[in-house]
Amino acid sequence: MTPRIRRNAACALLAAVPALACATDGATPLPRVMVTARIDSAPAFELPASLDAIDLVDSKRAQVNLSEVLGGVPGVLARDRQNFAQDTQLSIRGFGARSTFGVRGVRLYADGIPATMPDGQGQLSHFALAAGDRVEVMRGPFSALYGNSSGGVVQLWSADGTDPVQADFRGTAAHYGTVSASARVRGFAGATGYHLAASAFDTDGYREHSAARRESANLKLHRDFDGGGRLELVGNHFNAPHAQDPLGLNRAQVRADPRQATAAALQFDTRKSVGQDQLGASWRQPLGRTGQLRVTGHGGARDVVQYLAVPVAAQASTLSGGGVVDLDSTYGGMDVRASWQGQAGAGTLEFTLGASADRQRQQRRGYENFVRDGGATTTGVRGALRRDQRDVVDSFDQYAQAWWEFAPRWSLQAGARHSTVRFRSTDHYVNAGNPDDSGGVEYAQTTPVAGLAFAVHEDLRLYASAGRGFETPTFNELAYRADGGAGLAFDLRPAVSRNLEFGMKWRKATGAALEAALFRADTDDELAVARNSGGRSSYRNVGRARRQGGELSARLPLADAWSLQVAATWLDAHFRDAFPVCAGTCATPNAMVAAGTGIPGVPQRFGQVRLQWQDAAWEAALETSAVGAVPVDDRGTESSPGYGLLHVEAARTWTPGRGRLRGFARIDNLLDRHYIGSVIVNEANGRFYEPGAGRSLLLGIEWQP
């Protein structure tokens, strides 16, 4: 991150503080709502959609990866890669499973600020779990109302300030040289609420060449004004210097030593450095007695430098982009929406109308990952420039949504979004062997959705919903043409899906709850890898695909101190059309994928069961998680084996004086099973597998004065 960007971000935040300080006192804090649903008139239980909220209070984990908290959400597969140079592997109902880095097919937000760029590529690394209050997850057709690449929606929300002031300090230590520390303070300065949190994380890594460090800070300011207005400001800083990348292993390497790094990782010192700063602001203002206006804006910058294991010989091609990726990105956007509530017919009507615009500017440079000095070649260092381009992607969306309780037991939710996404690339690296690759492309799509809910009785709802979604290629997927020629792959088309869901929701005043859903998503123009050659991946549209299955979640109080939580998913994801691919590293597709072949990265079954006991001072839990076999390539030639893991945790709370001291412990993989924690889909060298960690003990302590 450049000093100029840091300076501007800090100044913008500090300049806003006086505006907060001049507001009047005495406003009542707004109640918590399921913000992801974008419906204020009804709780999530009344809506025809799959919605979950995960409380982050009293976590017994390191608070580093989002995979720590999403295991209890059906349909969501969040896999810890034991590789901090890559993000958590996240998919929802099979969308996003093909991503080899970052997050694809799922929309991400942190305190309302998009963590998914306009092209659909998202990042989770800067999510400040230490500052988190809750995570909200939406699955199914209504996710399409968030626009491009919304096979599901995940939002992290940080907590408001408190009165009186609250502070807590937290530290953990675990196997493999892993330590973390965090501190946060929440309070009010006058009538301005604040929440400041900071954390640091260090690990030597479970595998060789997988050490990493992460530092983050998050500040939230909020102010309620006379008349019902509310202003929120959020600033976020993230730094991850030199996270080592051990790369994937093949089957033989996993059997020989699952903790080893690939030889190429050591040869080229594969690693990644990330720095990110961002600011966001949100204003909510009542419009008369029945309306409300919401305006949000954000801006930020993200710098990434990544060293890849591209063989020196592969970079001899005049079209090679080298083996060192250097990305300087700035991004920003705004969302404006107005909503009205009132009576219509027999019940309540809420209507929302809005528009959003986002832009990402990216300077992409590529360098050779070696230097030559006389007859000697040194790898893993930045060499000659091989790529220099300026990329811009813009999106402009308009949307409308309504929820209507049109009869005593019936309600309808419906909406539509029209999205326009524009890509432009300007090539500044042009020579006799590398022609000008400049160009652009525009995609546009309208995504309608509707759902109907029926109240069988006070504690039971049945619903059905249907809609359409779409997913454009990202700039990374546009980077290389499938035919190996010069220029970007502007012939790629967006994947368009048709989504159906049928579900039920049941609850009791005792706290018991049960939810189940059946779903299907049929996709046209599915995007998949066309060829891998010389460290480059290119993509093509491969026809039709289907993702269908069922989900079940339950929360069951068993006795005064006992409770049981269950999350289970069955998922069938497959290609419906045959298409050609490369068998390994090749220039021309030389093998066929048969219709009916499973989509890689998607297990047919996965779930979690958690049994918990808690009294006034002690708490303990037994947790088991299971994942079925996972295909690793389009042809279905290999799969990672399924596995089941057992975890235990315990905590004890003391209240000396006016403070609160809490100690906790957790053992992951109690039986020390060998398993594949995640896979690298379609890895050209057959190094598909990222082994999960063995038995690991985590100890932690938390102090609230």
Side-chain angles (χ1 to χ4, degrees), residues 70-74 552-556 558 563-569 606-612 621-627 644-649 666:
L70 292 181
V73 181
L552 175 69
S553 65
R555 298 185 301 276
L556 304 173
L558 302 179
S563 63
L564 180 69
Q565 298 179 24
V566 178
T569 303
F606 56 94
Q608 177 179 289
V609 178
R610 180 181 174 88
L611 179 65
Q612 185 164 326
L622 180 68
E623 182 180 289
T624 181
S625 57
V627 176
L645 303 177
L646 188 65
H647 321 288
V648 295
E649 61 186 35
R666 179 180 171 96

Side-chain angles (χ1 to χ4, degrees), residues 208-209 245-247 261-271 309 687:
E208 181 184 15
H209 195 72
D245 187 349
L247 303 180
T262 303
L266 304 178
Q267 177 187 357
F268 291 99
D269 191 16
T270 49
R271 61 197 187 273
R687 300 192 294 252

